[in-house]
Amino acid sequence: MSDPTPTRRNGLWLWLPLALFFGFFVLVMFGLLRPADRNVASAFVGKPLPAFDLRPAVPERPGLRAADMATGQPRLLNVFASWCIPCAAEAPQLAALAQQGVAIDGVAIRDRQEDVQRFLAQYGNPFARIGADDVSAVQLAIGSSGVPETFVIDGKGVIRHQHIGDIRAEDVPMLLEKLREAGR
Amino acid sequence: MIAELGLAMLWLASALALLQLVAGALALTKRGRELAGIVRPAAVIQGVLSAGSFLALIALFLRTDLSVKLVATNSHSLKPFIFKLAGTWGNHEGSMLLWVTVMAMAGGFIALFERRLRDDTMLATLAGQAFVSLGFYAFLLLSSNPFERLAVPPPEGNGLNPLLQDIGLAFHPPTLYLGYVGLSIAFSFAIGALVTRDVGPAFARAMRPWVLGAWIFLSLGITAGSYWAYYELGWGGWWFWDPVENASLMPWLAATALLHSSTVLAARNALRAWTVMLGVVAFSMSMIGTFLVRSGILTSVHAFAVDPERGSFILALLAIYIGGALALFATRAATITEGARFAVTSREAALVVNNVMLSAILGIVLLGTLYPLLTEAFGEKVSVGPPYFNPIGAIFFVPMLIVMAIGPMLRWRDDRAGRISGKLALPALAAALTALGLVSFAPTIKPLPFLGMALAAGLAVASVLPLVGRDLRRTPLPVYGMVVAHLGIAVALFGVGSDSAFSIEKLVASRAGESHKVGPWQVTLRSIEPVAGPNWTALEATLAATYDGGRLSLLRTQSRNFTTPPQLTNESALHTRWNGQLYVVLGEEADDGRWQLRLWWKPFVPMIWYGGLLVGLGGLLALIGRVARDMKRSRAEDKIAYRRARQGR
C-alpha cells in the first residue's frame, strides 16, 4: 500500500476501462438491434403436457384428458371462461380456425355448466372437447396466468407455442403457421 | 412566434458551441494562439442563448400553446399551473433541452469565473464542454426538436401522465439532471487536464465544486425519487433495484468516489490518474444511465418515452464521448507523473479503500443492471433483484462503513493506529450495545438488518468524533459537511435496517366500522366516499388510527381515477410518528362489499429519507465552505496583484 496510485508504468492496464466500455457497447448494440420481443415466453413451451383428467364442462362435449391431446395431429388448446369478455371477442377467430379444419380443445376456468352452455350458444362452439377446470389446477400446471390463452400442442402432446390474450384476426395466420411447424 | 424564436436561439447556441470547440482546439496549437480570446465569450453567449431557448419552451407550456406538438402531447389547459411548468421538463425533448441549457450555463459560468487553471488547460476544458454540448444540440435539433409545430392544432392537450402529476416528481428529474450536468462539467475538466497533462491540485480544486454540486443534487434526487416510489406506487417498498433507480444510483456512487479522490488530489497531490479516470467514469455513468432509461433496452416500472432511434443516438454519443475519453486516458495516463506517496495508515489510504469499495459496489450495480441483457444475448430471460444486490453489495459496503468510521480521524500522509484506537472505543461500544439490544429484544432478526443497524449506530457515533476536541467556531465548514454527510449515511442505514427487520404488513378485507390491528396500531375503517379533484375523481377511505390506545388520528387514502388520460392510481395514506410510519393503501372492492386494505407499520422508516437529506445538507455545507474560501483567496490574490502593479509603477 505504499504506492496505491494506479499510475503504474505498465500501460496495458490503462486500456482496461476502454476495453470494458467496448464490451458494454457491443452488448447494448446487440440489445438495440435485436427485434424487440417483450413477451415472457412460457417456461412450459417445449415441454409435454402434464397429466390431467378433467370432467366434461357441458354434457354436449366429452371432458379432456392430457392423453386426448396426443393424437398425432397438432391441435389448439384454448383456455377460456364464460365470464371473460375477451374470450367472447376471440370467438369469431376460433370459429374461423375450426372452419379451416383446426382441431380445438377447450378448458373452461372456474365456470358453471349453465353459464358455459349459454356462452357457447351465443358465441359458437368450435371445441371438440371441453374440460372443466374448477380450481385452475390445469391452467396453472400448463403455465397459463389468465384467460384467454391459446396453446399449440403437437401430435405428441408437447406444448409448442403459447398465445397470451385474445386471438385477434391478425393473429390467425401466425397460429396457422405455428400449427404447421408443430405438424412437421 | 415564441417557438420559432426558441428554435433560432437553440441553433445559434449550437453554432457558438461549434465555434467554442474549434477556436478552443486551435488556440492550443502554436499558430492559432490568437483565437484564445474568443473562447470564453463564446461560452458565455452560448449559455445565455440556450437559457433563452429554454425560457421560450417554458412560455409555450405556460400558455398551453397547442400548436406546438410537444405541448399538445404533454400538457392540458386544465392542468394546475405548477404542473404546466413541470410539464416543460416532464418529457423527453424538454428534459434534454433542460439538460443542455444547464450545461451551457455552467460552461458560461466557468468561462466567467474560473481563474485557477493554467490557460491552456482552461481552453481545453471549455473546448471539451463545447464538444459535449454539441452532441446534445445535435440530438435535440436533429431528432428531438421540442419546438416542432403541428399543422392542425388539436382542441385540447393530451395531459401529463397522472402518476407523474405529483409535486415531488415534478422536481425529481430536474434534480437528477442538474447532478448529471455537474458531472459533465467535471468530465470537461478531466478532458482538459488530460489534453494538457496538467493533472494537479489546481485541477482538483477547480473541479471539486462541480462534483460537490452534482453530488448534492444526485443525493437529493435519489432521496426524493425513493420517497416518491414509496408513497406513490403503494407497494410499501422504497427501493426496488429497478434499472431506472440503478441509473441514478451509479452516477452517485461514482461521484462519491470522485469527491473523495479529488480531495486527496487537492490536499496531497496524490491519486492523479485515478481521479482523472473517475472524472470520466462519473459522467459515463450518467450517460449510460440516461441511455438505459431512454432507449427502453431494459424493461422497468418507470414507463419512459421509449424510442429505439433515440437509443441509437444516445449510444452514438456515448461511443464518441466515453470511448474517446477513455482512449485519451489510456494514451495519456502513463505520462501523468506519479503523485505524492503515503503510508498504509493514513487518511489517503483510508480514502483509497473507500474508493475501491465504492468502485466495487458500482461495478456490482452495473453488472446486475446489465445482466438481463447479457443473458438475453444467450437466449434466456432473467431479472435481477434484491437477492443479488443486497448480499453482494453488503460484502463491500460493510468494509466501507468501517473505513468511513476510522478514516476521518486519521492524519494525512502517515499516522499511527495507536493514536486513534482510544477514540475508536466509543463507536465500537455503540455498535456492540445496539447489537446486544437487537439480539435480546429481537432474537429472530436476519443477519443483514442486524449488521446494518449495529454498524449504523457505530458509524453515527464515529462520524461526529472528528469534531471532538476541536474549536468548533474555527472548524472549517467542509469538516462540518463531512460530519453531517457521514451521519446522514448512518441515519439512513439505520432506517433501512429497521424497515427490513421490523416492518409489519397486513392485508385485510374490511367493512366500514371494522377495526384491524397492525403492530402497535389499531386502525378502523370509518367510511368510503367519492371525492373529486381538478382532473380526477376518487374513492376516499377515511380511517381512524390509534397508537397503543393513545390519541386518535384520521388518515385518508384514495384510489384515484384520472380523466386526462384515463388511469388509476393509489394515493397511500401516511401517518408519521417519531418512531416510524403507518402506511395504508386502499385496494379493490370485493364482491361482498368489503374493501381491501393494505396496512403497514414501518418502525423508523422515515430515517432513510432524513438520512438522505442530511447527506445533501452535508454536501451543501462543504460546497459553501469551499466556494467561500475560493472567493476569499481570489480576492486576496487580486489585492496582491493590485499592490504589486502599483509598486512596480
Side-chain angles (χ1 to χ4, degrees), chain A residues 4 10 99 103 106 110 123 131 144 173:
Chain A
N10 185 352
Q99 224 162 38
R110 295 176 183 265
Y123 300 106
S144 153

Side-chain angles (χ1 to χ4, degrees), chain B residues 365-441:
Chain B
V365 176
L366 183 64
L367 186 68
T369 310
L370 293 177
Y371 191 71
L373 211 57
L374 196 66
T375 57
E376 229 175 294
F378 298 101
E380 205 174 320
K381 294 202 178 187
V382 297
S383 63
V384 181
Y388 161 79
F389 289 107
N390 291 347
I392 309 279
I395 293 174
F396 297 94
F397 193 57
V398 169
M400 196 184 77
L401 288 172
I402 293 168
V403 174
M404 242 174 102
I406 301 169
M409 282 177 258
L410 288 167
R411 287 188 182 138
W412 290 112
R413 208 172 67 189
D414 199 359
D415 205 345
R416 281 175 308 110
R419 195 183 63 81
I420 58 158
S421 55
K423 271 185 161 183
L424 283 175
L426 214 54
L429 188 69
L433 282 178
T434 310
L436 200 68
L438 286 173
V439 170
S440 42
F441 288 107

Side-chain angles (χ1 to χ4, degrees), chain A residues 4 9 29-30 34 37-39, chain B residues 296 315 323 334 342 376-377 381:
Chain A
R9 294 297 146 231
M29 268 315 273
F30 173 84
R34 186 180 38 86
D37 174 20
R38 297 265 172 263
N39 290 331
Chain B
L315 187 61
F342 45 84
E376 229 175 294
K381 294 202 178 187

Side-chain angles (χ1 to χ4, degrees), chain B residues 14 122 298:
Chain B
S14 69
M122 189 65 214
L298 294 168

Side-chain angles (χ1 to χ4, degrees), chain B residues 24 28 103 116 179 273-274 629:
Chain B
L28 288 175
M103 187 152 59
R116 273 165 300 192
W274 176 247
R629 209 164 135 190

